[in-house]
Amino acid sequence: MTDVDDRTPAPRPTEMQVRARADALLSRMTVEEKVGQLVQYFSFGPHFTSDGPALQQPDEVEHALARGRTGALLFVTDPAETNRLQRLAIEGSRHGIPALFGFDVVHGLRTIFPVPIAMAASWDPGTVERGQAVAAREARAVGVHLTFAPMLDIARDPRWGRMVEGPGEDPYLASALAAAQVRGFQGDDVGAPDRIIAGPKHFVGYGAALGGRDYDEVDLSESALRNVYLPPFRAAVEAGAGNVMSAYMDLNGIPAGATRRLFTEILREQWGFTGFVVTDADAGRDLVTHGFAADAAEAAARGVGAGVDLEMATTDPAYAHLPEALERGDLDIATVDASVRRILEAKVRLGLFERPFVDERRAAVVLADPAHREEARVAAERSAVLLRNEGGLLPLDPTTLRSVAVLGPLADSRRDTLGPWVFDVDLDETVTVLAGLRGRLDPAVTEVRFAPGIRPARRVFPSMFDVHPGNVPADPEDFDDDAELRRAVSLAAGSDVAVVVLGEWQHMIGEGASRSSLDLPGRQEELLRAVVATGTPVVLVLMNGRPLDLRWAAENVPAILDVWYPGTRGGTAAARLLTGDVSPAGRLPFTWPRSVGQVPLIYSHTRSHSPSAQGVRYWDEASTPLFPFGFGLSYGRFAYSGLTLDRISVRRGESVAVSVTVTNTGNRDADEVAQLYLHQRHGTASRPVRELAGFRRLHVPAGGSRDVVFRLGPAELSYWNAAAGTVVQDRAPFDVWVGGDATAELTTSFVVTG
Ligand code: NOJ
C-alpha cells in the first residue's frame, strides 16, 4: 500500500529551519513525550526465533509506539511493516512525530557486498562509496533511515571476531574509507529518497578488547587513542556523519558509553559533531551491569549526561527512567531537551514529517535492481587479494583446462559466501565459487567436479547469534567423514587443477565470535595437505574475515587467492579472477601474522632496543609477518621509479609533493595500489618505523606507466604528542618509501624546518 510517493523529494530544509522546527515541537512536549523520543526498541520480525535473547514481543512494541513511549525502532526491514508501524507511531504521538527506523546495513541489505574488511582490502574509496550508496538506496526504499555502520574500530588482534566488520589495522586507510562510507550512505542530503544516516561505531576503542575477547575491557593510552583509534571517527564526522554509536566496554576503567569527554568534549566540542549518539544494544542499562550506576535511573542520567541521546534497548529501557532521574535531580531538563532536539532534528533532516511512508511497489523494484548486483560483483573483484602465485599457476586458462576439482566445505555454501551481518538476503541468487566457475567455464571444454570433503565445524559454545535461521550450517545427514575426504582427494587426483575453498564458516566470525586459535577449523588443513599430496596443482581460495594460520599453505600451496566473504556475486567474481578476466589487486588492510602467538602484530610499531633483532624477538618463531600490511600480488608486474620530491626542506605548515612512476612491466593490464609510507627520524616523541601516509589505486595497462603525486602536509606530518597533550609538528627529518606494500624499498627523505 502506498501512502505517499517517496520519489518526490521534499525541499531540503536549511539548518535554521531544522532547528526551528525541532524547537517548536520541543516546546509543546511533555517530559514523557520527550523521553519517548530517546528510546529505540527492537522490533524483531519472523527472522528470529523466540528462544533467542530476551526480546520484546510485537505487541509490546506496538503498545509503546501507540503511547509515544518510543520514537525509534530497529530491525524492521519489510516495507509493509515499516509503513504499518510508522502509522502507529504518528498516530500515537500528539504531535504526529514519525519514528526513526534503524538497521545494521553493514555490507548491503538485499544485495550483499563483500564484508567490510574485504572492502577495505580494495584500497579504493570509490568502490567503497558506491557500495554503501547501493546499500542506502535499498535500505531507504524499505523504510530504513539509519544504518549502524560504518564500523570504524581499528582492529589489531585477529582473535577478535569483529575485525571482519571494520577497516583493519591502519588509521590512515581507515579514515579514507570512513569518509567514503559516510558519503555513500548519506550523499549530500539525507532527506533524498535514496540516502540514509550513517552511524559510525563503536565510539571508541572497542577493537582493542583485552585478549581479543568481544566486549572485554580496553586500556588505551592517550597517544593510541588520539593517533590510532579516534582518527577514522573524526574523518567520518568531517564527512558529515549524522549519528555515532557508543561502544560497550570499559575504556580505561569507565564505561565508554558514559564518558562525557568522548561524546561532549571530543565529538561535539572539539570536532563539531551535530548529530545524535545512540547506545549500543542495551548499553544504557549496561551501566548498571558494569557496576557503574546503581540503578536504571542513574544509568540513564549518566548516559544522557555524558552526551548520549538515544538508547537502543531490547526490554525495559533505562532511559524510560529519565523522569525519575529528573525528579531526583540527577540530571536537568535542559540536558534531556538537548538530546531530544538532536533526535527531532535528525527526523526533520530526513524529511520524515513530509514523507514518513515508503512505496512498497517501488521497494520491490529497487531491491531487485540488477545494477546493484553488478556493483557487488565489481566490488568482490576489486577486494580479492592474491597472496601467492608460484610459477604463475594463476590465471587458469579456460580454453585448455579439461577438468577442475572444486573442493572444500565453503565452495558451494551460499550462506557462507555472504558472510556475517546479513539478514534479508535471497540465498537463491547468491553465486558460490562452484556456481561461478560452472558459469564461467565452457562445459564442452572443462569438466567441473565438486566435493565438500569435510562437514561444517561446530561452534563449541552456543551463542545468542545463532538465533537467525540459516546462520549455523546444518550438519549434513549421512556424511561419512573419511569417505568424503577420500572422495575429494580422488577428484583432485584425476583433475587438471584443484580449487580448494577453505576458511571460516561465517558464523565463526563477527560479534561474539572471538577465537583463541587462527587455525583453519575442522579437518580443513588435513584435506588441503591430502589434495596437495596428489601432485595436482592446487589453488587455495580463502573465505575469511581475519588472518588465519597459513604457515603450511604459504609454503606448500602454489596459489592462494583470498576472496574474503565476497557477497551476492562472490562466486562470479572469484571465477573471473581465477580465469584472468580481471587481475586481482586487493591489498591486505592488516599485517598477516604467522601464528596466533604473535598477535597483535602491526607494521607501524615504534623502534626500540636492539632493532636489528626486531625480526627475531621470539625464541620459537620469527617476529616478522607471514604477509606484510598492504601486500597483494597481481597478474601484472609493477616497478617503481623516479621517486622525487618537489623540495627537500619544508617549513612547518607547508607541503611537500612526492612523485613516482609506476610501470606495469608484465603482459597483462592490471591495477596496482601505490602506497607511501613515512617515518619521522627523531623529534619530541618516538614515532612508528613506518606509517601509511598516502595511497592510490591505479589501472596500468601492460607495458604502460602512470605518474603518481602524493602530497604530504601538516595533516600527515603532525601527530598527537603525549608529553605536550596536543597535536604537534616537530622540526625533524623524515624518510619516505613508496611501493606496493609496507616493506617498500624505494626511498628518499626531506626535512621539516622552522
Ligand atoms: C550490537 C552490536 O555491537 C552493534 O554493532 C549493532 O549495531 C547492534 N547490536 C544492533 O544490531
Side-chain angles (χ1 to χ4, degrees):
M1 208 208 92
T2 306
D3 287 79
V4 170
D5 184 342
D6 64 346
R7 280 166 299 184
T8 321
R12 182 179 179 175
T14 63
E15 278 304 294
M16 248 165 70
Q17 289 167 329
V18 169
R19 173 75 188 232
R21 185 141 188 199
D23 277 341
L25 284 164
L26 199 55
S27 68
R28 300 200 300 271
M29 290 166 78
T30 64
V31 169
E32 283 67 28
E33 286 169 341
K34 291 176 181 175
V35 167
Q37 291 300 310
L38 303 185
V39 172
Q40 178 172 44
Y41 264 130
F42 278 82
S43 178
F44 285 106
H47 309 297
F48 291 87
T49 53
S50 52
D51 56 356
L55 309 174
Q56 287 107 334
Q57 297 308 309
D59 53 344
E60 279 181 68
V61 172
E62 290 174 19
H63 193 258
L65 279 175
R67 283 163 202 276
R69 294 288 178 267
T70 177
L73 296 180
L74 72 153
F75 265 65
V76 198
T77 54
D78 174 48
E81 188 65 356
T82 52
N83 279 343
R84 186 180 75 80
L85 294 169
Q86 187 63 290
R87 200 168 297 111
L88 283 179
I90 294 168
E91 287 165 4
S93 156
R94 279 195 307 141
H95 315 286
I97 303 174
L100 179 77
F101 288 82
F103 191 61
D104 291 282
V105 189
V106 174
H107 53 118
L109 184 79
R110 175 67 53 81
T111 308
I112 301 301
F113 282 72
V115 288
I117 194 77
M119 294 298 275
S122 75
W123 289 59
D124 184 6
T127 295
V128 168
E129 180 175 340
R130 280 191 297 279
Q132 298 303 33
V134 167
R137 184 163 185 257
E138 293 186 0
R140 190 68 190 246
V142 301
V144 168
H145 314 123
L146 161 69
T147 176
F148 306 122
M151 196 268 235
L152 299 179
D153 295 310
I154 295 294
R156 298 178 156 196
D157 186 336
R159 292 173 296 181
W160 189 54
R162 301 199 74 172
M163 181 171 193
V164 64
E165 291 173 54
E169 83 177 42
D170 184 75
Y172 186 89
L173 177 63
S175 298
L177 303 175
Q181 293 192 72
V182 172
R183 286 194 303 270
F185 285 128
Q186 297 193 169
D188 295 332
D189 174 13
V190 295
D194 49 3
R195 299 297 183 175
I196 56 177
I197 292 179
K201 67 187 185 185
H202 306 81
F203 204 62
V204 59
Y206 183 31
L210 208 61
R213 285 180 300 276
D214 208 4
Y215 315 133
D216 263 15
E217 68 197 84
V218 168
D219 269 294
L220 282 178
S221 69
E222 194 62 14
S223 168
L225 205 56
R226 296 279 185 172
N227 289 319
V228 179
Y229 289 83
L230 285 171
F233 286 94
R234 183 169 197 162
V237 167
E238 283 172 359
N243 170 250
V244 164
M245 186 190 289
S246 68
Y248 272 131
M249 74 302 148
D250 284 325
L251 175 64
N252 300 335
I254 295 176
T259 306
R260 189 173 186 281
R261 192 170 79 94
L262 293 181
F263 303 105
T264 301
E265 292 173 25
I266 295 180
L267 199 54
R268 295 207 165 93
E269 293 170 7
Q270 293 173 18
W271 297 355
F273 174 66
T274 54
F276 64 99
V277 175
V278 64
T279 70
D280 203 334
D282 283 328
R285 184 165 278 279
D286 273 355
L287 298 187
V288 179
T289 312
H290 283 252
F292 182 72
D295 57 23
E298 191 187 334
R302 292 173 84 173
V304 174
V308 177
D309 305 304
L310 180 66
E311 181 188 18
M312 186 196 297
T314 49
T315 49
D316 193 11
Y319 287 15
H321 297 261
L322 277 168
E324 208 178 314
L326 286 165
E327 265 168 41
R328 284 191 205 162
D330 288 351
L331 192 71
D332 56 37
I333 189 69
T335 308
V336 172
D337 281 355
S339 283
V340 178
R341 185 182 294 114
R342 291 183 197 118
I343 304 295
L344 294 173
E345 285 176 347
K347 293 181 178 182
V348 175
R349 287 191 192 105
L350 282 160
L352 295 189
F353 289 89
E354 289 73 29
R355 290 176 293 112
F357 302 108
V358 292
D359 178 334
E360 292 161 31
R361 277 166 314 188
R362 176 173 176 269
V365 174
V366 170
L367 295 184
D369 193 336
H372 295 185
R373 311 303 190 265
E374 270 302 281
E375 287 284 5
R377 173 185 63 79
V378 172
E381 288 171 9
R382 294 177 77 79
S383 57
V385 182
L386 183 63
L387 293 173
R388 190 168 148 92
N389 195 17
E390 284 306 294
L393 174 57
L394 291 177
L396 305 173
D397 182 352
T399 62
T400 57
L401 194 66
R402 282 167 302 127
S403 57
V404 53
V406 182
L407 309 174
L410 300 174
D412 197 32
S413 170
R414 293 180 298 185
R415 181 64 195 84
D416 291 299
T417 301
L418 298 175
W421 281 112
V422 304
F423 303 93
D424 287 323
V425 291
D426 182 354
L427 282 182
D428 285 342
E429 61 162 14
T430 300
V431 183
T432 64
V433 174
L434 175 66
L437 280 169
R438 286 214 161 112
R440 175 64 185 83
L441 297 170
D442 179 352
V445 178
T446 315
E447 189 190 341
V448 178
R449 304 149 174 171
F450 166 66
I454 64 165
R455 68 171 73 224
R458 309 304 302 168
R459 190 182 182 110
V460 181
F461 300 102
S463 158
M464 63 180 264
F465 297 99
D466 294 343
V467 295
H468 188 253
N471 210 26
V472 180
D475 219 357
E477 283 169 27
D478 301 327
F479 193 92
D480 179 332
D481 294 72
D482 292 335
E484 282 295 332
L485 201 129
R486 278 197 305 274
R487 188 167 76 87
V489 174
S490 77
L491 285 191
S495 299
D496 284 357
V497 70
V499 173
V500 190
V501 188
L502 304 178
E504 290 182 328
W505 284 264
Q506 61 81 27
H507 73 129
M508 300 185 65
I509 193 159
E511 190 174 351
S514 295
R515 286 188 68 203
S516 64
S517 149
L518 299 177
D519 295 354
L520 282 166
R523 296 175 69 182
Q524 294 188 90
E525 190 159 314
E526 186 185 342
L527 172 68
L528 185 63
R529 286 178 186 243
V531 170
V532 169
T534 63
T536 296
V538 176
V539 180
L540 170 59
V541 173
L542 278 177
M543 283 192 193
N544 58 314
R546 61 176 136 217
L548 296 169
D549 188 336
L550 288 190
R551 280 175 292 179
W552 187 85
E555 292 216 335
N556 297 286
V557 181
I560 307 177
L561 179 69
D562 193 341
V563 298
W564 315 98
Y565 301 102
T568 302
R569 287 290 178 270
T572 313
R576 283 171 45 82
L577 289 157
L578 291 169
T579 55
D581 294 336
V582 57
S583 173
R587 301 289 183 257
L588 293 177
F590 51 72
T591 303
W592 193 301
R594 296 169 189 277
S595 70
V596 72
Q598 285 183 312
V599 307
L601 187 67
I602 54 169
Y603 81 94
S604 57
H605 57 82
T606 53
R607 178 175 293 152
S608 76
H609 175 68
S610 188
S612 60
Q614 190 82 47
V616 286
R617 292 280 205 240
Y618 295 105
W619 182 85
D620 58 351
E621 178 62 278
S623 40
T624 53
L626 190 63
F627 304 111
F629 177 81
F631 176 76
L633 301 171
S634 167
Y635 299 153
R637 188 185 306 273
F638 293 98
Y640 287 76
S641 60
L643 180 60
T644 51
L645 305 173
D646 69 342
R647 58 186 82 181
I648 52 164
S649 168
V650 291
R651 300 178 68 80
R652 281 189 290 184
E654 293 175 350
S655 298
V656 52
V658 183
S659 309
V660 73
T661 302
V662 183
T663 305
N664 183 352
T665 61
N667 53 18
R668 281 176 178 267
D669 300 350
D671 282 11
E672 166 69 340
V673 180
Q675 303 163 38
L676 180 147
Y677 294 88
L678 199 59
H679 169 59
Q680 177 178 315
R681 279 192 210 155
H682 51 76
T684 56
S686 310
R687 300 295 298 141
V689 290
R690 287 189 182 197
E691 276 190 307
L692 183 69
F695 66 91
R696 199 79 39 81
R697 181 164 172 152
L698 320 154
H699 185 72
V700 194
S705 290
R706 293 277 306 270
D707 295 331
V708 187
V709 180
F710 298 102
R711 202 158 283 283
L712 300 173
E716 289 77 21
L717 301 173
S718 52
Y719 63 97
W720 198 90
N721 182 297
T726 186
V727 172
V728 302
Q729 187 176 355
D730 288 333
R731 279 186 287 267
F734 283 82
D735 295 312
V736 175
W737 295 265
V738 178
D741 64 43
T743 65
E745 286 174 0
L746 191 60
T747 185
T748 185
S749 58
F750 64 93
V751 173
V752 174
T753 62

